[in-house]
Amino acid sequence: GVPTSSDNANVTSSTTVGQNANITAPAAEAADVNIDRNMNFVTVSSGGTLDVSGTLSVGQANGGSGFIVFPNASATIGTLNISTGAGGSNFVTVDGTAAVLNVTNATVGLSADGILIVRNDGVLNVNGGTGTLTVGSGGDGTLYIGNGGTPGTVNAATVHLGTTGSSIRFDGCCGGT
């Protein structure tokens, strides 16, 4: 069934890659969401909404996990942690018109390298625009604004680069900086 606000949702598998969950309807909710293992993704697509009252963790052990908010969809997260375990290359993407990700707290690269992409008019709000987005903590973080598409919007009072290898890149991983 659909998780409720008291459930923890886990998208993990030790033997199978590509365990994906696509939220296409309003009102999906969970206390916590854990996305882990190579090629496991959670997406929120057109018309979908996700409310996580606690923590959404992307990449607790292995790299390659992702969370994507697509056009005309939204997610509201208490705490967003990208790359919470040893495996890097985990990502969160907010991609497209009316794609909105609201977070109270966010760390990109909590324990390993992590990526946050905001593009094609997607919007990231950190504590309603008054919070701090931490890019790099125990691992390096990268915030891409654009990444091959048109820029998105990051509403935060502060973007804190927490490690020397962390960065903010405008319009692309492979050309613009």
Side-chain angles (χ1 to χ4, degrees):
V2 175
T4 67
S5 61
S6 62
D7 291 331
N8 292 326
N10 295 296
V11 180
T12 63
S13 174
S14 61
T15 58
T16 306
V17 299
Q19 300 297 307
N20 303 316
N22 185 20
I23 299 165
T24 60
E29 52 186 14
D32 296 296
V33 174
N34 304 305
I35 308 167
D36 198 15
R37 305 288 180 200
N38 191 28
M39 302 302 293
N40 288 329
F41 302 103
V42 172
T43 59
V44 185
S45 297
S46 184
T49 64
L50 173 64
D51 185 4
V52 179
S53 58
T55 301
L56 187 142
S57 297
V58 181
Q60 294 177 306
N62 295 323
S65 299
F67 177 71
I68 306 168
V69 180
F70 283 117
N72 302 305
S74 66
T76 300
I77 312 294
T79 298
L80 172 65
N81 290 323
I82 304 171
S83 293
T84 58
S89 300
N90 299 291
F91 68 91
V92 169
T93 302
V94 186
D95 186 4
T97 302
V100 179
L101 176 56
N102 299 302
V103 298
T104 303
N105 303 295
T107 301
V108 182
L110 181 69
S111 299
D113 297 350
I115 298 167
L116 174 60
I117 301 167
V118 184
R119 65 181 176 201
N120 297 325
D121 298 321
V123 176
L124 170 68
N125 296 309
V126 182
N127 201 24
T130 65
T132 298
L133 172 60
T134 301
V135 179
S137 181
D140 293 335
T142 304
L143 170 61
Y144 290 104
I145 300 175
N147 196 28
T150 60
T153 301
V154 176
N155 294 312
T158 305
V159 176
H160 172 72
L161 297 177
T163 62
T164 57
S166 294
S167 63
I168 302 171
R169 299 195 53 164
F170 295 92
D171 198 37
C173 65
C174 308
T177 56

